[in-house]
Amino acid sequence: MSAYRAVFGHVNDVPPGTLYESRGEVKAAKLHKENEAGISWGRDAEGERAADAIVLNKGYEDDVDNWQEVIYTGAGGKTRNSTKQTSDQTWDNKGNASLRRSRVKGNFVRVIRGSAGERAYSPVIGYRYDGLYKVVEDWSETGRSGFRICRFVLHRLGDEWQELTSFEHQIRNLLLDGAQEDDDDGEGADEEIVPRRSTSVERIVRKSAVTNRVKRLHDYICQICRIPLRVNSGGENYAEGAHIHALGGRQGGPDVDGNVLCLCPNCHVSLTVGLCISPMTSRRLIVSRPNRDRVSYRFAW
């Protein structure tokens, strides 16, 4: 396995929340290179060992999982299929050394949770890919069983790092999909806008992150009529997230920023029942970004 090249980040367009029945399926998806070990490591760009993924499945009694922060126990020092330490862990262990290097280099680490892990955050069965974390601290201490253990603190990256593509890339894909449908002149109408997988996805702690992010980008002001809808004396606005290509149906659109508009209720209804943003119109959707925190649109219909 020494020839394995570590990948720091998402792999193969697998979104956080994807479920797998076994460690074998996790390995086949290239999320983690091992069948049993908790730490996945490979050679980085400098040829050194560095960790790119870990599994949380109550493998060690000292593990602590609080979702946003994970206190992870290193590898070694116990017998197979046991959570209790029988000897000291050391930094000479390849897994521990590689996870420490990822802390030093600031590498992103994929976290996979198994059903035996912390009940509040783990899948009911199988394994689930839960996105990207960063190792922020490591040290050695005496564990519950009286032996030395290697400890790591990992922090979950923000929602913007859990997305698979950039905002601009998402918009480009939408426009290209619209152009492709128009050029086909009806042919291939049964094809879906976005490729789908047969995997099951369980999304937790998202809470409409996509639509909320788009509304915040536009200060809750409608992108079509530009009329702010004030809802209280504090000056707060109300807006709704509207999908350009609806999520339902055989050709449902993707749940990404580029497929969402920030609209007032009136324009939202108009979009649903009267205002048509078709593939032809989508190609005339002009996107500008006067600063990094705001995206503006102009429509022609």
Side-chain angles (χ1 to χ4, degrees):
M1 299 299 294
S2 60
Y4 172 80
R5 177 67 67 178
V7 178
F8 308 107
H10 299 294
V11 294
N12 295 337
D13 292 332
V14 177
T18 303
L19 287 169
Y20 299 91
E21 293 184 1
S22 66
R23 282 291 297 271
E25 289 189 2
V26 173
K27 181 178 179 179
K30 298 185 178 180
L31 291 169
H32 195 288
K33 77 163 187 176
E34 304 288 351
N35 286 317
E36 295 183 359
I39 302 174
S40 170
W41 60 267
R43 301 290 179 175
D44 60 17
E46 299 174 12
E48 300 294 330
R49 297 187 186 96
D52 60 3
I54 63 169
V55 170
L56 278 169
N57 199 35
K58 212 60 179 179
Y60 290 85
E61 60 183 345
D62 294 285
D63 285 346
V64 179
D65 185 1
N66 294 315
W67 180 256
Q68 291 290 349
E69 180 181 82
V70 172
I71 303 177
Y72 188 73
T73 308
K78 71 179 184 66
T79 59
R80 187 177 181 183
N81 298 325
S82 172
T83 62
K84 295 184 179 297
Q85 295 294 126
T86 57
S87 62
D88 292 338
Q89 293 183 347
T90 70
W91 294 108
D92 292 332
N93 179 283
K94 294 177 180 178
N96 297 336
S98 66
L99 200 52
R100 170 174 267 186
R101 179 170 174 82
S102 282
R103 191 269 300 169
V104 172
K105 303 299 288 187
N107 299 328
F108 294 167
V109 175
R110 295 180 296 278
V111 169
I112 297 97
R113 286 180 171 84
S115 58
E118 179 63 39
R119 185 174 181 180
Y121 308 117
S122 301
V124 176
I125 58 173
Y127 295 84
R128 186 185 63 231
Y129 172 45
D130 280 337
L132 302 178
Y133 285 65
K134 194 172 183 179
V135 186
V136 297
E137 189 177 356
D138 62 69
W139 73 95
S140 180
E141 68 180 17
T142 300
R144 295 184 187 180
S145 297
F147 297 96
R148 301 295 292 178
I149 57 175
C150 298
R151 302 283 266 166
F152 302 88
V153 174
L154 295 91
H155 287 172
R156 192 171 196 271
L157 302 183
D159 287 342
E160 66 274 16
W161 291 103
Q162 308 303 340
E163 301 294 338
L164 297 178
T165 58
S166 68
F167 182 69
E168 291 84 359
H169 194 178
Q170 292 167 13
I171 292 178
R172 188 195 69 178
N173 286 343
L174 285 174
L175 302 185
L176 291 177
D177 288 336
Q180 179 68 41
E181 285 191 355
D182 187 65
D183 291 342
D184 288 343
D185 194 26
E187 294 184 7
D190 292 335
E191 295 181 0
E192 295 172 327
I193 293 177
V194 174
R196 307 297 172 104
R197 295 185 180 86
S198 59
T199 55
S200 173
V201 175
E202 176 187 1
R203 294 197 178 275
I204 62 175
V205 201
R206 281 194 62 88
K207 299 180 180 178
S208 305
V210 172
T211 54
N212 287 338
R213 186 163 54 245
V214 171
K215 289 188 289 186
R216 286 196 302 269
L217 282 171
H218 296 280
D219 296 327
Y220 292 81
I221 297 176
C222 179
Q223 293 176 253
I224 293 180
C225 70
R226 307 299 300 168
I227 299 175
L229 179 60
R230 298 292 166 82
V231 295
N232 59 33
S233 59
E236 295 182 354
N237 298 329
Y238 173 78
E240 299 174 353
H243 288 84
I244 300 173
H245 297 277
L247 299 182
R250 294 179 61 189
Q251 294 190 353
D255 192 16
V256 297
D257 301 45
N259 190 37
V260 176
L261 298 175
C262 174
L263 302 180
C264 69
N266 286 340
C267 290
H268 192 174
V269 172
S270 297
L271 175 68
T272 303
V273 300
L275 175 63
C276 178
I277 299 180
S278 65
M280 176 66 74
T281 305
S282 294
R283 290 205 304 276
R284 299 165 69 189
L285 173 61
I286 303 171
V287 182
S288 62
R289 200 166 191 171
N291 60 62
R292 62 180 300 175
D293 297 322
R294 179 181 296 276
V295 179
S296 299
Y297 298 82
R298 282 196 293 116
F299 294 92
W301 57 79

